[in-house]
Amino acid sequence: MKKLLTFLVAFLIVVLVHEGAHALVAAAYGELAAFQVHPYGFEVIFKTPVAQRQGIEWGLISGVSNVITVLLGYLLLFFVKPIANMKNSFVSAVGYWLIVMFLLLDPLNLSVGPFLYGGDIGGIVAGFGVNQYLVQILSFAIFLINRELVAQVLLPAYGIKTDHPLFKPWIKLGSVS
């Protein structure tokens, strides 16, 4: 039960940071209409309908949250040893899940998500005038790099050993911890 609770607390934090960043940037541009909590998750509602959205502000509204979460993942990973060795095992476990989610969820969302449900990529593409597939490829490359950081830095810091191909290093980098 404790493991599930630490996962859920971390997930809630990640969602609040991600959606909160959308809301803050949208508010800065006068585009925030509402912030709603649904049984299936959080929703930021904007004033301008999707079909009428254009301009760099939509790239920022859609993209800043993705950048913030990944940067927070890198920041937490920088402090992984103190987080992993905290006396409070609950906080340490939440820290573990925060690092995993901050590093992996948004790059996966931007790379694979558009094939399934769209998501933030529409605003990034429209706002910055970039090719969707370029954003997806770059996001997938970041996902793979971050997956390698999880395998080579995070898991060893927590004493986790695995032979699962998704969680063991694919590239020999030497000592990165």
Side-chain angles (χ1 to χ4, degrees):
M1 184 67 171
K2 182 179 170 185
K3 288 180 183 182
L4 178 61
L5 186 59
T6 60
F7 175 85
L8 291 174
V9 167
F11 185 74
L12 180 64
I13 292 168
V14 171
V15 170
L16 285 172
V17 168
H18 179 93
E19 297 301 332
H22 283 311
L24 288 173
V25 178
Y29 283 106
E31 283 291 341
L32 181 63
F35 188 86
Q36 294 185 344
V37 179
H38 301 284
Y40 56 84
F42 298 96
E43 179 184 18
V44 179
I45 300 170
F46 305 112
K47 291 179 180 176
T48 303
V50 174
Q52 297 174 8
R53 294 178 190 168
Q54 56 183 333
I56 195 167
E57 66 269 16
W58 289 105
L60 293 171
I61 290 168
S62 298
V64 165
S65 59
N66 297 283
V67 173
I68 287 173
T69 57
V70 173
L71 290 177
L72 284 171
Y74 293 143
L75 179 66
L76 290 173
L77 189 64
F78 185 77
F79 294 103
V80 70
K81 287 185 180 180
I83 294 169
N85 295 316
M86 293 180 114
K87 290 187 192 295
N88 186 324
S89 64
F90 184 85
V91 175
S92 178
V94 169
Y96 169 84
W97 285 115
L98 283 173
I99 295 169
V100 169
M101 291 182 207
F102 278 145
L103 288 178
L104 300 179
L105 290 183
D106 277 326
L108 193 60
N109 174 46
L110 287 176
S111 61
V112 178
F115 295 120
L116 305 172
Y117 50 78
D120 294 340
I121 200 162
I124 293 168
V125 168
F128 295 126
V130 294
N131 181 286
Q132 175 175 324
Y133 297 114
L134 180 64
V135 175
Q136 287 181 268
I137 290 167
L138 179 61
S139 297
F140 192 67
I142 292 168
F143 170 77
L144 291 175
I145 290 166
N146 290 354
R147 189 221 65 88
E148 200 65 29
L149 289 170
V150 167
Q152 293 197 31
V153 179
L154 179 66
L155 297 182
Y158 277 83
I160 299 170
K161 295 179 187 345
T162 182
D163 283 328
H164 193 286
L166 293 179
F167 300 108
K168 68 184 218 179
W170 294 344
I171 302 166
K172 301 267 188 229
L173 296 177
S175 178
V176 284
S177 52

